[in-house]
Amino acid sequence: MTFDRSIKIAPSILSADFANFGKECEAIEAEGCDWVHVDVMDGHFVPNITFGPATCAAIRPHIKGVMDVHLMIEPVDPYIDAFAKAGADVITAHVEASTHIHRTLQAIRGAGAKAGIALNPATPASSIEYLLDMIDLVCVMTVNPGFGGQKFIHSQVDKVAQLRAMIGDRPIHIEIDGGVTPETAPLVAGAGADVLVAGSAVFKGGSVNNTAPYGNNIRAIRTAAEAVAS
C-alpha cells in the first residue's frame, strides 16, 4: 500500500447486499473502486450493529486491493489484533472512543496495519495535532456515525482544509465518510481530501447481477472530485 494523493473511491459495503458480500466486493473492484470500506459498528459507540472480524476475514479473499476497516466501537484496543489478523490494511479508530488514543494508534501499527483516526462532526481538527506523526489516515465524518444514507454536513469542509494545512507534506490520507455524492465530492476534494467513502451513492441502481451502475457511479464521483482536487 503505497502513498499518493490521487483521488481514491472507497465504497462502503454497508450499502451492499449482505447476502452476497464476496461477490459485491469483487464487483466494485471490477468496476473501478480503489479501496473497500468496512464500517464496523457495535450498538454502543454508535446506534447500530454491523460486522465483526469474522466478516472481514470472510471477505478478505474477495478483495484484491485495500481493505479499509473503520471501527465505530468502544472500547477499541481489545479488538485491534482480531481485525488485523482478519486482513485489514487500514484500521481506523475514533478519537472520541479511546481514553488513550496515542496507545491505540501504537497498537494498530504494532499489529501491522496502517493507523487511521476518525473525527466526529463536532470534534475539532486540533484534537489530533499531537498525533499527526502516528497516523497514516484521518477520517473526517461528514455525517454523524451510525447509519448510511445521511445528508452531508457542510461545516466539515472547513475542517478538511484545516487538516490539510496541519498535515503539510506528511504522508497522511484525508478520508471523507458520509454523504459523498458527485455533488459533495468536489467540495471536500477541493479542500484537500483524497479518499472518498461512498455507500448508497455507489451501490444505487445496481446489483451483483447488474454491476454496470456501480462503475457509472464510481466514475461520476471520481470525475467530479478530480476536477478540483488540490
Side-chain angles (χ1 to χ4, degrees):
M1 182 178 165
T2 56
F3 179 84
D4 67 74
R5 295 196 189 280
S6 65
I7 296 296
K8 287 162 282 294
I9 309 300
S12 167
I13 62 168
L14 188 62
S15 296
D17 177 357
F18 284 21
N20 287 291
F21 267 156
K23 289 182 179 179
E24 290 277 53
C25 291
E26 292 171 0
I28 54 176
E29 284 196 327
E31 292 291 347
C33 83
D34 302 284
W35 295 8
V36 175
H37 188 82
V38 184
D39 286 307
V40 176
M41 306 182 191
D42 64 356
H44 170 66
F45 179 66
V46 292
N48 198 3
I49 298 173
T50 57
F51 328 116
T55 301
C56 291
I59 64 173
R60 177 73 258 193
H62 300 273
I63 300 172
K64 295 178 182 176
V66 172
M67 184 162 77
D68 175 31
V69 176
H70 178 190
L71 300 183
M72 287 170 269
I73 65 175
E74 183 182 10
V76 179
D77 294 15
Y79 301 98
I80 290 170
D81 283 345
F83 282 102
K85 289 176 181 175
D89 295 294
V90 183
I91 297 177
T92 297
H94 272 258
V95 66
E96 307 88 359
S98 179
T99 305
H100 305 289
I101 190 66
H102 190 282
R103 182 182 297 154
T104 299
L105 296 169
Q106 283 181 315
I108 293 171
R109 282 188 164 179
K114 298 289 187 181
I117 194 163
L119 306 178
N120 282 339
T123 302
S126 59
S127 65
I128 65 165
E129 182 178 357
Y130 297 103
L131 299 170
L132 291 175
D133 291 324
M134 306 232 11
I135 63 174
D136 302 287
L137 175 147
V138 54
C139 175
V140 178
M141 295 301 301
T142 43
V143 299
N144 285 296
F147 296 98
Q150 298 184 72
K151 289 188 177 181
F152 182 88
I153 299 174
H154 285 264
S155 63
Q156 302 308 294
V157 176
D158 285 344
K159 186 189 295 183
V160 174
Q162 291 174 32
L163 288 166
R164 186 68 193 87
M166 287 168 56
I167 286 168
D169 60 359
R170 295 177 179 88
I172 299 172
H173 297 290
I174 299 179
E175 179 175 75
I176 304 301
D177 190 352
V180 171
T181 66
E183 291 69 43
T184 59
L187 303 177
V188 289
D194 63 288
V195 183
L196 306 181
V197 176
S200 50
V202 166
F203 286 97
K204 68 179 181 181
S207 70
V208 290
N209 298 314
N210 176 30
T211 64
Y214 298 169
N216 294 335
N217 295 336
I218 289 167
R219 285 188 291 276
I221 296 168
R222 190 190 306 280
T223 299
E226 287 180 344
V228 299
S230 57

